[in-house]
Amino acid sequence: MKNLVCYLALIVVGLVQSTPAACDVASVTTASGPAYNPPSMLCPGDLIFEDHFDTLDLDTWKHEVTMAGGGNGEFEYYRNSRTNSFTQGGNLHIKPTFLADEYGEDFLYSGTLDITDECTNSNHNGCLRTGTSTNILNPIESARIRTYETFAFKYGTVVARAKVPAGDWLWPAIWLLPSDYRYGGWPVAGEVDLVESRGNRNLTDSTGLNIGTQLAFSTLEWGPSLEQNQYTKTHWVKSNPDGYNNDFHLYKVVWSPEGFWFYYDDELIGSVNPPDGGFWELAGLQDSDEYNPWSSGTKMAPFDVEFHLLINLAIGATTGYFPDEANNPGGKPWRIGSPTAMTDFWQGKSQWEPTWNRNTDDSHFIIDYIQVFAI
């Protein structure tokens, strides 16, 4: 019996030694977090994250709960409610609703919303607010979910199939942020926008170009300081006369130690391969006396650390995302930088509410799936 055991053991050893490696060259991708189950060896092409949204996995997707405005003075209140974020028919839906429908119109102007116990961002009174006649409470309820502390990765391919919403002043996005702000605050630490759009069906610029639902765009946000955001050097747009809201489309970014490549429906829309001097040199700052915040990194810094995924539906902004000078049927109820922008937006509801088609899912941001592959 002992000899038989030894013989079998030798066979097992021989099989293990004769089994070829999973791949000849290991992937440059790294990944971490409880939602990631790493194989013994990560190979190019390995699927390292996937969600087809048959259910909403609250252990993986963590909700942000705040009224902080996303750094743009947005008009939504992000919350963790199945009214605003839910799965249906194998798709994730992010649905905007009205705070007044839940609490009444008067509450917007005089009520107090205290979400301190679950709040994730206290900036700009994001956890506790009292409405006034000139600065009402955030009138729209929505959702922003992320894999912060559950899944993050460095270098890889992200693929998402999604249908953007239609409705004036809606702002959908699928994007990535660093899990460790090693290089500094935003935008020094970097941001990767896989896709963004605007919900207005008929928003046009001065040339007549539709910059609403017929336009989608991908962007890298980066710069040595808040005042020197260099996103215009890494911003790509793609027009679709049929509207990105009328069907699902495939959005993909390939992120490598050499650069980024963005694709819509497998068509390359833009790419960047930074020079040896990295994004500092790309910004034209190589001869500047200013401090280079990325000098300790590779040429891909700040995009050489692990990032996590985000999906959200914002509404409006006091910054320039919805330009004052753009043409929109019915006009625009508020102005950029106005201290009463949120109130003006809500009081102009007769302009934009009909465009949301609230009895349908037109105003929903709908995601079929999202995947991340090693490279």
Side-chain angles (χ1 to χ4, degrees):
M1 184 66 179
K2 182 178 178 181
N3 290 337
L4 177 61
V5 170
C6 293
Y7 176 72
L8 291 174
L10 288 172
I11 291 177
V12 171
V13 170
L15 288 173
V16 170
Q17 291 178 340
S18 64
T19 300
C23 50
D24 295 331
V25 179
S27 169
V28 297
T29 300
T30 67
S32 62
Y36 169 64
N37 185 20
S40 57
M41 180 178 182
L42 196 58
C43 299
D46 281 353
L47 179 65
I48 61 174
F49 180 89
E50 181 177 39
D51 201 331
H52 283 268
F53 298 110
D54 296 317
T55 61
L56 180 53
D57 183 356
L58 297 178
D59 291 328
T60 297
W61 296 100
K62 302 298 183 180
H63 281 74
E64 297 197 49
V65 179
T66 183
M67 298 175 281
N72 299 291
E74 300 154 15
F75 306 148
E76 76 283 338
Y77 155 36
Y78 286 131
R79 62 181 191 155
N80 182 357
S81 169
R82 302 296 71 77
T83 301
N84 301 109
S85 53
F86 57 90
T87 57
Q88 180 177 293
N91 295 324
L92 169 68
H93 288 244
I94 299 184
K95 173 185 176 180
T97 57
F98 292 174
L99 186 69
D101 286 349
E102 187 172 355
Y103 293 96
E105 182 80 12
D106 292 344
F107 186 78
L108 296 177
Y109 294 87
S110 59
T112 296
L113 196 56
D114 185 351
I115 55 174
T116 305
D117 290 345
E118 54 182 345
C119 190
T120 59
N121 187 344
S122 62
N123 292 337
H124 309 293
N125 302 311
C127 301
L128 176 64
R129 284 189 184 178
T130 298
T132 69
S133 59
T134 57
N135 191 13
I136 65 170
L137 293 172
N138 305 45
I140 309 300
E141 300 163 320
S142 188
R144 174 164 145 171
I145 60 175
R146 57 182 179 170
T147 62
Y148 179 65
E149 296 185 336
T150 66
F151 170 74
F153 71 102
K154 179 179 72 174
Y155 306 135
T157 297
V158 183
V159 181
R161 185 173 184 265
K163 182 167 72 169
V164 303
D168 287 3
W169 321 122
L170 299 177
W171 178 358
I174 303 174
W175 50 307
L176 296 85
L177 281 176
S179 295
D180 175 9
Y181 280 69
R182 182 179 307 174
Y183 295 109
W186 188 92
V188 184
E191 174 182 317
V192 181
D193 299 324
L194 174 59
V195 62
E196 294 180 278
S197 187
R198 300 180 182 92
N200 305 59
R201 294 175 179 84
N202 298 299
L203 188 69
T204 57
D205 66 12
S206 59
T207 70
L209 175 69
N210 186 301
I211 60 172
T213 55
Q214 293 182 27
L215 195 73
F217 34 94
S218 300
T219 311
L220 298 180
E221 303 268 4
W222 55 281
S225 67
L226 182 63
E227 297 74 25
Q228 297 186 82
N229 191 339
Q230 303 291 314
Y231 78 93
T232 57
K233 295 181 173 66
T234 50
H235 176 71
W236 304 277
V237 302
K238 177 66 176 176
S239 289
N240 178 0
D242 295 329
Y244 288 96
N245 62 302
N246 287 318
D247 203 350
F248 285 89
H249 292 272
L250 201 65
Y251 304 99
K252 179 172 73 173
V253 59
V254 179
W255 168 28
S256 87
E258 298 301 320
F260 286 91
W261 293 262
F262 290 88
Y263 300 83
Y264 290 178
D265 297 320
D266 294 322
E267 177 185 351
L268 181 68
I269 69 156
S271 64
V272 60
N273 185 335
D276 291 341
F279 283 87
W280 180 260
E281 182 179 344
L282 184 65
L285 298 171
Q286 66 271 27
D287 297 323
S288 171
D289 292 330
E290 296 181 63
Y291 169 69
N292 179 355
W294 310 306
S295 59
S296 63
T298 69
K299 77 166 193 171
M300 287 297 292
F303 304 104
D304 60 355
V305 299
E306 290 191 351
F307 279 58
H308 60 274
L309 304 167
L310 300 96
I311 303 172
N312 72 285
L313 177 57
I315 292 87
T318 57
T319 54
Y321 188 78
F322 295 98
D324 287 345
E325 65 274 13
N327 299 308
N328 188 69
K332 181 185 173 187
W334 81 98
R335 311 306 289 174
I336 293 171
S338 169
T340 61
M342 196 123 58
T343 304
D344 297 338
F345 164 77
W346 179 250
Q347 293 181 347
K349 183 172 62 172
S350 61
Q351 177 270 319
W352 51 262
E353 181 182 16
T355 71
W356 288 23
N357 294 340
R358 296 178 69 201
N359 293 326
T360 72
D361 61 7
D362 282 5
S363 61
H364 300 195
F365 189 19
I366 306 175
I367 296 88
D368 181 15
Y369 64 81
I370 187 165
Q371 300 171 315
V372 182
F373 297 88
I375 60 168

